[in-house]
Amino acid sequence: MSAEINNVVQAYDVFNGDADGICALHQLRLADPRKAVLVTGAKRDIDLLGRFASRQGDKLTVLDISLDSNIVALRKHLAAGAEIIYFDHHNAAQAFEHVHLNLHCDMAADVCSSILVNRYLNGQYWQWAVVAAYGDNLPEVASTMGMQAGLNGIQCKQLQELGTLLNYNAYGESVDDLHFHPAALYQAVHDYVDPFDFLNSAAQFVVLHNAYASDMAFMQGLRAYRQSELTSIYILPAQAWARRISGILANQLTQEQPGKSFAVLTAKPDGSYVVSVRSGDADNCPASQFCTAFSTGGGRRGAGGINNLAATEVDHFVQAFIAYFEKMEKPQFSLS
């Protein structure tokens, strides 16, 4: 969290620390400025609603975090009398109606939370939705949005780099791995209405550009742990650079080899693994369906992840991944 939460504060902006969460909140606060406590963290810090208590009349804005993963805390906030507006595109099997819950949820594979906010605002700050779509590994959607709105190819590439860098900053075991705390990066972004001004003027962009190049240099010579025509699995070491580029690598592989499914396992200091999964066939083999079979897994149709995979479960994971994404006989998961 970016500030001390106390009884005086009655507005909370709760958002995923990646490109989509930052850009979604940025659009909303450009349109509707509001002083609020920022509640965020590294990309996989998604149980954010449980970090604070609310009271009657408090206003919560929730962006790009799974409703299913926050369902208990969400109900507590509503029971306390909070008013909540919620934008998300992850699995929401437990979604429900409530007089104080304004839920904007779309689990389609070609949607991200910033696109939902863009719809809500009738395209008022559409360029930031393009940035978010690029960062959330929706390059075709982002390019179509940009081109239809009048951007040229060079401008689209610039927004793609910005989206990639904002997303890159969110990956890590904790905020200690990140170059900027997501709340601080959001505040830096929020100084700019035009994303091209941020590209050309913000010191944070330069830092992320250089850091990204440095971390990606470690990828030279990387080989898949296991691969076939339909799937590839990569295993990265327990290093900060690996934790920062794990999701970016998964996105990059998907863009380079569309139709193929990928898993990137990154070792954690305790010997377990954090996993990024990308589906090459989101309609028939949703990543979310596969990942939620594991106790700390979740996601959306095209992309999912597992926050904690024990080293003893790696062999089972590999076999299950191959069976699921190569459309063999579907394994019966029994993990808890």
Side-chain angles (χ1 to χ4, degrees):
M1 284 176 281
S2 67
E4 185 72 16
I5 295 175
N6 54 58
N7 290 332
V8 176
V9 178
Q10 294 187 331
Y12 304 87
D13 286 341
V14 185
F15 61 103
N16 195 307
D18 66 358
D20 196 19
I22 288 174
C23 292
L25 179 58
H26 183 40
Q27 292 176 81
L28 278 174
R29 291 294 160 256
L30 285 174
D32 179 20
R34 178 184 300 173
K35 184 177 181 180
V37 169
L38 303 180
V39 184
T40 187
K43 183 174 177 66
R44 292 183 185 274
D45 292 339
I46 57 173
D47 54 344
L48 299 176
L49 284 179
R51 294 188 177 185
F52 64 98
S54 59
R55 299 175 302 160
Q56 181 77 33
D58 284 354
K59 297 185 183 301
L60 279 59
T61 301
V62 187
L63 301 150
D64 200 40
I65 60 172
S66 166
L67 182 146
D68 288 352
S69 297
N70 287 271
I71 189 67
V72 174
L74 175 61
R75 290 187 180 276
K76 286 182 178 179
H77 287 297
L78 290 169
E83 299 178 5
I84 303 174
I85 184 168
Y86 203 128
F87 295 86
D88 190 44
H89 64 126
H90 298 90
N91 269 6
Q94 300 180 65
F96 59 94
E97 293 185 359
H98 190 283
V99 65
H100 292 307
L101 175 61
N102 185 358
L103 180 61
H104 299 262
C105 183
D106 187 338
M107 293 176 283
D110 59 351
V111 169
C112 63
S113 298
S114 286
I115 289 177
L116 298 181
V117 172
N118 184 59
R119 293 175 184 172
Y120 178 75
L121 298 176
N122 295 316
Q124 191 172 358
Y125 299 103
W126 62 269
Q127 288 179 322
W128 289 103
V130 172
V131 172
Y134 276 126
D136 221 38
N137 199 36
L138 297 172
E140 293 182 1
V141 174
S143 295
T144 298
M145 288 178 62
M147 293 292 191
Q148 288 179 345
L151 298 182
N152 60 39
I154 293 175
Q155 290 172 314
C156 285
K157 287 293 185 183
Q158 289 178 305
L159 295 189
Q160 183 171 25
E161 181 182 17
L162 177 55
T164 298
L165 293 180
L166 293 178
N167 221 46
Y168 156 74
N169 182 73
Y171 281 96
E173 177 66 15
S174 70
V175 293
D176 292 335
D177 282 337
L178 313 186
H179 298 289
F180 299 101
H181 192 292
L185 186 56
Y186 159 74
Q187 289 169 323
V189 166
H190 198 55
D191 287 337
Y192 298 86
V193 176
D194 188 329
F196 293 102
D197 289 339
F198 183 86
L199 280 159
N200 294 323
S201 304
Q204 291 83 358
F205 178 81
V206 177
V207 170
L208 291 176
H209 173 85
N210 293 336
Y212 177 79
S214 177
D215 280 351
M216 291 302 289
F218 286 103
M219 301 303 298
Q220 299 299 321
L222 181 68
R223 295 290 182 270
Y225 171 78
R226 191 274 181 198
Q227 65 178 332
S228 70
E229 183 179 353
L230 295 175
T231 62
S232 287
I233 298 171
Y234 290 78
I235 298 181
L236 303 182
Q239 300 290 330
W241 66 265
R243 295 191 290 272
R244 287 193 293 263
I245 61 88
S246 58
I248 299 297
L249 171 61
N251 289 347
Q252 180 177 296
L253 290 168
T254 302
Q255 293 172 24
E256 292 174 350
Q257 302 176 69
K260 190 170 183 177
S261 299
F262 297 92
V264 178
L265 285 69
T266 307
K268 301 166 70 173
D270 65 2
S272 64
Y273 293 84
V274 60
V275 184
S276 293
V277 172
R278 301 293 183 269
S279 174
D281 185 2
D283 290 334
N284 296 309
C285 298
S288 54
Q289 180 176 312
F290 174 77
C291 291
T292 53
F294 296 81
S295 59
T296 61
R300 48 193 171 84
R301 299 188 69 85
I306 302 168
N307 287 341
N308 196 333
L309 181 74
T312 55
E313 294 177 342
V314 170
D315 288 343
H316 171 78
F317 171 87
V318 170
Q319 294 171 9
F321 182 86
I322 293 169
Y324 182 82
F325 288 104
E326 295 191 4
K327 303 179 181 64
M328 299 162 61
E329 181 179 351
K330 297 293 176 26
Q332 298 298 313
F333 295 109
S334 59
L335 298 178
S336 59

